[in-house]
Amino acid sequence: KALLLQAAASHPTVLKSPGPIVLFKQFGTTAMDFELHFSLRLNDDMRAAIVQSDVRESINYLFRQVNAQPVIAAAKLFSDP
C-alpha cells in the first residue's frame, strides 16, 4: 500500500488534495488486489493517460527496489482528470 501511495504522490501532476488513496479490494487466487485512486488537474485525456503510464512505471520501479513482484493483472489505476 505504501509503495502505491508513494508512486502516485511523487508524480508532480497528481494533486496533493485530495491525495491519492489505496483500497485493498480482496484476496485474489495468487495476489492481493488493490486499487490506486488519484486526482489530476487536467482536461486532456492523453495527458491523463501519460500520467497513469508514468505512475505504473514508478510502481514497477519501486516494487523492484524491494524485490517484490507486482501482479500486473491485479493492478488498477483510477484517475479523475
Side-chain angles (χ1 to χ4, degrees):
K1 182 175 177 177
L3 293 176
L4 296 174
L5 289 171
Q6 180 182 345
S10 68
H11 197 285
T13 307
V14 173
L15 295 178
K16 305 296 182 217
S17 181
I21 62 168
V22 174
L23 301 176
F24 177 41
K25 299 300 286 185
Q26 66 184 356
F27 288 101
T29 55
T30 60
M32 297 176 2
D33 294 341
F34 291 89
E35 289 181 355
L36 172 60
H37 296 257
F38 53 89
S39 297
L40 308 170
R41 190 178 312 260
L42 297 173
N43 57 3
D44 180 327
D45 289 340
M46 179 53 73
R47 289 193 60 204
I50 291 168
V51 172
Q52 289 178 341
S53 176
D54 291 346
V55 170
R56 286 185 188 100
E57 289 178 25
S58 181
I59 290 168
N60 188 51
Y61 173 79
L62 292 169
F63 271 63
R64 288 178 187 269
Q65 292 299 304
V66 297
N67 294 319
Q69 179 62 40
V71 178
I72 303 305
K76 294 181 184 175
L77 296 183
F78 297 90
S79 62
D80 298 320

